[in-house]
Amino acid sequence: MLFSNDISLDLVRSKIKRLQEFLAIYLKIANVHTIDFYTEDIWNEYVALSPEAVLARYRCQDVGSKAEIASASVWDDCQKLADVTAYIRETQAHSLPYLGVCTTLDELLQELWGNKQRGTFLKTSQFMNTKKSHEVQVMSEVVACLAKHCNVQQDSMMVGLHTCGDLASNTLRIFIAKPELKAVCSVGCCYHLLSEEYEEPADSNDCSQGSWGFPMSQYLRDSVWQCGRNARMSACLPLERVTVGQGLPSESLFYRAVLQVIFKEHYGNRKRHNVEQNTNSKHVGKIFSKSSGFVDYTRKSMQKLGMDDSKLSDSLIQGYYDIYRPRWKELEAFNRLKVTLAPCIEGLILLDRLCYLKEQESIAWSALVQLFDPIKSPRCYAVIGVKK
């Protein structure tokens, strides 16, 4: 049986090109690192509005008519963000649900089942949380249907559920390399852990065998495209969860950004090299949840990084918190802008994987399918392929 709903390679490439042109302008928002937010005065560098104005626009569900947006400019003459409504509409237009390249789960199951009654599949354990139970129930039906379609046992397929970083890319490579594998269903995650071939040398991961996690497709590799680690980390932000009120941990991000100000102002001259070396090789991690307040957080963080905090008094540390506390909304508003951009970056990564499959002569059909509810499971898209 041939799949009637098949997206062409040319269409996928055209959507990748559209995303490249869009992200060439917008990636500057995603590539901002939270720890540099105050030391680099990010808000005033990138945004022409007040944080209150940005947050107010996000609280308003109406983003205007298409006619209004058509004449609106996202950026001002200094290339600072000046119209949040236009920004939201532009990012929506360049996210996967609006690009016209995804196959719905219902369409996939209709292709696989036809007019037959759908069966009952794996029942999840009571020990699974709601998220995992949802994922396993949906994916088990898809995998079983693909196996039946290909007339193979499940161990003749390549299946990955939230494969981390490069493992998602390598899952597709193994599928192509092994003739005995007839189908693949891969849901990746942790885009920030991908090795990126054209990333700046100072930030890129060493990949001695040349099997880079991104980009995979020859089309995107020919353009020498790079996102950058911060942008790939932004791609993991859960837009749908944030939209329904399950916000980001803004207080911990605020603590880390203020801590970086202390590093710069008290350890940035004579000991600058040592501080940079420490903060690049080690991470503060989850100290926030173990701290009683900002002073405690600062001391625990510096101890973890092997830094001498003896010259900093409690009152001096608390003073930094008090100074920057009125600017907390800047960080909160900027993170909303980053979250809004996340689906566009994720879309490019996933379309690159789909394009890779469609470039292979052995592939009969491939698609990008939203398997899961994005509120329950933010990494909800599967790359699916069937060999000839």
Side-chain angles (χ1 to χ4, degrees), residues 36-325:
D36 299 321
F37 191 78
Y38 296 120
T39 59
E40 303 295 331
D41 196 18
I42 294 300
W43 185 262
N44 292 317
E45 179 72 19
Y46 290 95
V47 187
L49 305 167
S50 70
E52 290 80 9
V54 172
L55 292 172
R57 172 45 63 188
Y58 276 103
R59 286 192 291 269
C60 176
Q61 297 299 314
D62 180 17
V63 293
S65 68
K66 291 184 178 180
E68 291 173 351
I69 300 304
S71 60
S73 176
V74 175
W75 315 98
D76 66 11
D77 293 339
C78 297
Q79 292 305 301
K80 295 182 181 182
L81 194 150
D83 191 318
V84 181
T85 300
Y87 175 84
I88 294 172
R89 290 296 296 268
E90 280 294 305
T91 52
Q92 284 180 344
H94 290 84
S95 62
L96 280 177
Y98 296 87
L99 289 176
V101 289
C102 292
T103 301
T104 68
L105 178 59
D106 285 342
E107 287 172 340
L108 174 67
L109 294 177
Q110 179 63 33
E111 291 275 10
L112 294 172
W113 278 108
N115 295 321
K116 297 179 182 178
Q117 183 178 0
R118 289 167 61 172
T120 301
F121 294 89
L122 184 64
K123 292 186 177 180
T124 55
S125 166
Q126 60 180 325
F127 298 106
M128 287 186 181
N129 60 30
T130 302
K131 174 179 179 292
K132 189 56 63 179
S133 176
H134 170 65
E135 294 165 354
V136 171
Q137 285 180 343
V138 174
M139 198 163 184
S140 65
E141 179 175 8
V142 171
V143 170
C145 289
L146 284 170
K148 184 176 181 180
H149 170 78
C150 298
N151 195 28
V152 297
Q153 299 298 317
Q154 280 92 327
D155 60 5
S156 297
M157 294 175 56
M158 179 62 74
V159 178
L161 176 56
H162 290 158
T163 44
C164 187
D166 283 357
L167 184 56
S169 306
N170 290 332
T171 294
L172 300 181
R173 289 194 176 98
I174 293 170
F175 166 64
I176 295 300
K178 299 294 183 180
E180 62 269 27
L181 297 175
K182 304 303 181 184
V184 65
C185 182
S186 173
V187 181
C189 69
C190 302
Y191 303 128
H192 58 293
L193 296 179
L194 284 170
S195 60
E196 189 169 350
E197 183 170 6
Y198 303 112
E199 193 172 4
E200 294 297 327
D203 301 319
S204 63
N205 300 313
D206 178 40
C207 194
S208 56
Q209 296 182 350
S211 298
W212 301 92
F214 178 82
M216 291 190 71
S217 68
Q218 193 59 50
Y219 181 77
L220 203 52
R221 293 183 70 238
D222 286 343
S223 67
V224 194
W225 178 262
Q226 64 168 303
C227 284
R229 187 177 188 275
N230 291 337
R232 287 183 279 108
M233 184 173 289
S234 296
C236 299
L237 296 173
L239 174 62
E240 288 80 8
R241 285 184 175 180
V242 173
T243 301
V244 298
Q246 301 178 27
L248 297 172
S250 60
E251 188 174 13
S252 63
L253 298 175
F254 173 73
Y255 272 28
R256 184 61 185 89
V258 178
L259 178 65
Q260 196 68 12
V261 177
I262 295 176
F263 288 165
K264 181 178 180 179
E265 295 189 358
H266 292 273
Y267 300 87
N269 296 321
R270 183 165 53 88
K271 297 183 179 180
R272 179 173 182 178
H273 174 72
N274 291 335
V275 172
E276 289 181 348
Q277 189 176 46
N278 279 332
T279 55
N280 285 334
S281 61
K282 299 178 183 178
H283 300 280
V284 170
K286 299 181 179 179
I287 288 178
F288 173 80
S289 62
K290 305 172 185 176
S291 303
S292 59
F294 183 69
V295 174
D296 187 39
Y297 169 87
T298 298
R299 296 204 182 280
K300 285 179 177 177
S301 299
M302 295 182 73
Q303 290 168 10
K304 181 176 180 180
L305 296 173
M307 301 170 67
D308 179 16
D309 67 333
S310 61
K311 70 176 183 178
L312 303 179
S313 66
D314 287 356
S315 61
L316 185 147
I317 295 173
Q318 184 62 38
Y320 277 94
Y321 177 91
D322 296 339
I323 289 171
Y324 283 94
R325 180 63 181 83

